Amino acid sequence: MTQHLAALNLPTAEGQAATPAAADAARRPGWWRDAVIYQVYPRSFADADGDGMGDLAGIRSRLPYLRELGVDAVWLSPFYSSPQADAGYDVADYRVVDPMFGDLADAQGLVTDAHALGLRVIVDIVPNHASDQHSWFRQALREGPGSPLRSRFHFRSGKGETGELPPNDWESIFGGPAWTRTENPDGTPGEWYLHLFAPQQPDFDWDSPAVADEFRSILRFWLDLGVDGFRIDVAHGLVKAAGLPDIGLHDQLRLLGNDVLPFFDQDGVHEIYRDWRRILDEYGTDPGTRRIAVAEAWTPSVERTANYLRPDELHQAFNFQYLGTAWEAEPLRAVVQATLDSMRPVGAPATWVLSNHDVVRHLTRFGHGDREQDTRRARAATLLMLALPGSAYLYQGEELGLPEVLDLPDAARQDPAFARARGTAAEGQEGMRDGCRVPMPWSGSVAPYGFGPVEGGPSWLPQPAEWAKLSVEAQTGDASSTLELYRRALAARRAHPALGTGDSVEWLDAPQGALAFRRSTSDGVFVCTVNTSAAPLALPAPGRLLLASADLAPTVPGADVLLPADSTVWWTC
C-alpha cells in the first residue's frame, strides 16, 4: 500500500519554517554550483535499530556529524520499497519507504532535520528500470501477451523457429544476455523482456505515455515532501534506439564510455529531461532554493555529458571521465581542462568525484598495496579535487581514509554482478562492489564499531578489525588524521573567496609529474600545487601556506619549497 503525505499529515516544503542555518544556506547563489555533496549509502551508514542494516533513523542521528564535516548536501541512495535484488536499485514502489529503512515519516523527519542544519537532501530516482515485483510488471506477466501493461516495458517475441533465441544480441551490464524469457499463463514459453541489469530489473519503455506520466507524479511526490533534488540513476539509458538493433559485438561492457550504444546515450533522453526541468522549475527558480537534478550519465566524452546540462535540462552530471583518470599529472590536467571547456558553453558547473558505491574506493584504486603510501596519495587526490572549480562529491567513509575491502567471503557478498559473473570472468562487472559498501566505523574497538547500537552486534557485511583505528572517534581531534584533513579542507574551501564556484583555472609552469594552477577573484588569489610522482619535487613557493596533504617544511613566499611525493598543497596569495 502506498504511503501518502496527506495520510500522515506531514508538512510540504512550503509549510516548513526556515531555521537560521537553512536561511544562511538559502542565501548562497546557485547553491549547487559549488556544493560539496556527500553520498550516503543507507545500508551502510548507521543502524539505529540494531538489525545489522543501516536505516533512515540512523542517518538522521548522524546528520550533525555531516554538518560538522562541512558538506552542503546529502545524497541518499535508494531507500524505496524493494526486494533488494540489487540493493534497492530494483524499486517495487517509488512512493513507499522499504520497512528495512523505516517509513515515510522517517524520510520526512530526515529532510526536516537536514534543513534545520542547513543541509540539502538529494534522493536517488531510478527511471530506467523497476523491480520485477512492481505492480505493473506483475500484472503484465499475469495477463500474458497482448496485455496493455506490456507496452510499459520492452516485451518482444524471440528469434528462431519457436522464439527460443533472444530478440537481439544485447548484453546485460551485470553479465549474460539482457533478455529473459517469460512463461505464459498456460505454462508455455512466452515473450522475452529486456533488462540491461539484473533479470529482476525489467527496463521501462519510455515510448509509453503512462511511464512518463508516472514519473512526473513521482517527482512531484518527493518534491512536495521537501527534497532538494534528484540523482538520476542510469540517466543515459531511458531511450533505446528504434527497432532495438543488434550491436554485432561480444563483451559489450568494454564499449561503455567509448561508443554511443543503441541502449545508452540516445538523443531522445533529452526531451525527457526538458520535461523534468519544467517540473523542477514549478517549485521555484530562485538560485538559493532551486530544486535540482543530477545525471548519472556514462557517455563517451565530457562533450556528450554536457548535452545533459543545457540550460533547459539538468543542473549537474557526474564526471566519470575524471573518476576514471589515473593519478598522473598530464592525464589529470587534460581531463580537468576538457571538463571545464565542455561545461562552460552550456553554463553548467563542473563536478568532480573520486569514489562512489559502484567503484573501488580511490585509496585502493590509486594505490599499490602499501597502506601508508596509498593513504598519502588518496589525501593528495582529495585536496586536488576540492581545489577545482565547481561541485565535488564525497562518498561515505572516504573522509576516514577507508580502503576497499578485498577479502570479503563469497557467502557474504550480495552484489548481483558477482553471482552472474562467477565462472564467466570476461563478462559483466567484476562483482567487487560490495567491497566499497562495508558499513562505516564510528566508534569503539569491537565490531560493528558503532555502526549499530550494540557492541558486538550484527552488520550486513563484515568490517575489518583494522577499521577500529579508522573510526570517527579514533580520528577526531588527531590533527594528522584524514578526517581532520577533510574538515580543514572543507572549511578552507568555504572561507576562501577563490575556491568553490568558477569555470576556469590558470595553469602555471610546473616540473614533470606536477601540476600547478591559480584561481583568482577580486577578493583573493589561490594556488594549488600537486606532485603526482614518487619523489619530492622543488618549485618556488607561490604564496603563504594554506593547507597541505602531507608534512611540509616551513616556507617563505618565492623561495623554493620541496613538495613531498604524492602530495597536494594549497597556497593563498
Side-chain angles (χ1 to χ4, degrees), residues 31-74:
W31 67 268
W32 67 94
R33 302 190 70 86
D34 65 348
V36 177
I37 301 172
Y38 184 100
Q39 182 188 359
V40 166
Y41 193 66
R43 285 173 160 240
S44 301
F45 192 63
D47 170 21
D49 61 12
D51 65 355
M53 188 70 65
D55 46 45
L56 296 184
I59 298 168
R60 189 177 176 184
S61 73
R62 298 294 188 178
L63 289 174
Y65 162 79
L66 296 178
R67 179 57 178 169
E68 181 185 357
L69 181 63
V71 301
D72 301 295
V74 180

Side-chain angles (χ1 to χ4, degrees), residues 356-426:
N356 64 35
H357 67 291
D358 279 335
V359 300
V360 173
R361 287 185 177 274
H362 68 273
L363 184 144
T364 301
R365 194 174 71 248
F366 287 155
H368 298 288
D370 180 300
R371 179 58 55 80
E372 182 178 347
Q373 179 184 359
D374 296 351
T375 299
R376 186 169 64 243
R377 184 171 289 185
R379 288 161 60 100
T382 296
L383 283 198
L384 167 59
M385 177 182 74
L386 292 175
L388 295 169
S391 178
Y393 281 78
L394 309 179
Y395 177 52
Q396 65 177 47
E398 72 169 76
E399 76 275 17
L400 304 178
L402 296 185
E404 187 84 359
V405 180
L406 300 173
D407 58 354
L408 288 170
D410 288 358
R413 293 186 180 278
Q414 299 191 27
D415 185 352
F418 177 75
R420 283 175 66 84
R422 294 183 72 176
T424 56

Side-chain angles (χ1 to χ4, degrees), residues 465-481:
E466 65 181 15
W467 280 20
K469 298 179 180 179
L470 298 176
S471 72
V472 173
E473 180 182 64
Q475 296 194 44
T476 295
D478 178 357
S480 66
S481 72

Side-chain angles (χ1 to χ4, degrees), residues 174-187:
F174 288 167
W179 296 89
T180 291
R181 196 171 193 184
T182 65
E183 184 178 277
N184 290 324
D186 63 4

Side-chain angles (χ1 to χ4, degrees), residues 560-573:
D560 277 357
V561 60
L562 201 62
L563 294 183
D566 294 316
S567 68
T568 297
V569 184
W570 290 2
W571 311 86
T572 187
C573 308

Side-chain angles (χ1 to χ4, degrees), residues 11-18 115 220 223-226 282-284 291:
T12 62
E14 289 75 9
Q16 297 171 3
H115 288 171
R220 290 191 172 99
L223 290 168
D224 286 343
L225 188 136
E282 291 174 9
Y283 288 78
R291 316 293 182 91

Side-chain angles (χ1 to χ4, degrees), residues 220-276:
R220 290 191 172 99
F221 178 87
W222 290 102
L223 290 168
D224 286 343
L225 188 136
V227 304
D228 300 285
F230 301 93
R231 176 265 192 186
I232 305 169
D233 185 61
V234 196
H236 52 297
L238 278 57
V239 172
K240 279 68 175 176
L244 309 183
D246 285 337
I247 294 176
L249 295 171
H250 188 49
D251 291 341
Q252 294 164 14
L253 184 62
R254 298 179 183 180
L255 303 177
L256 297 183
N258 298 306
D259 296 279
V260 176
L261 299 171
F263 51 75
F264 278 166
D265 197 28
Q266 295 292 302
D267 289 339
V269 299
H270 298 292
E271 186 54 43
I272 296 170
Y273 298 133
R274 282 189 281 270
D275 181 45
W276 286 20

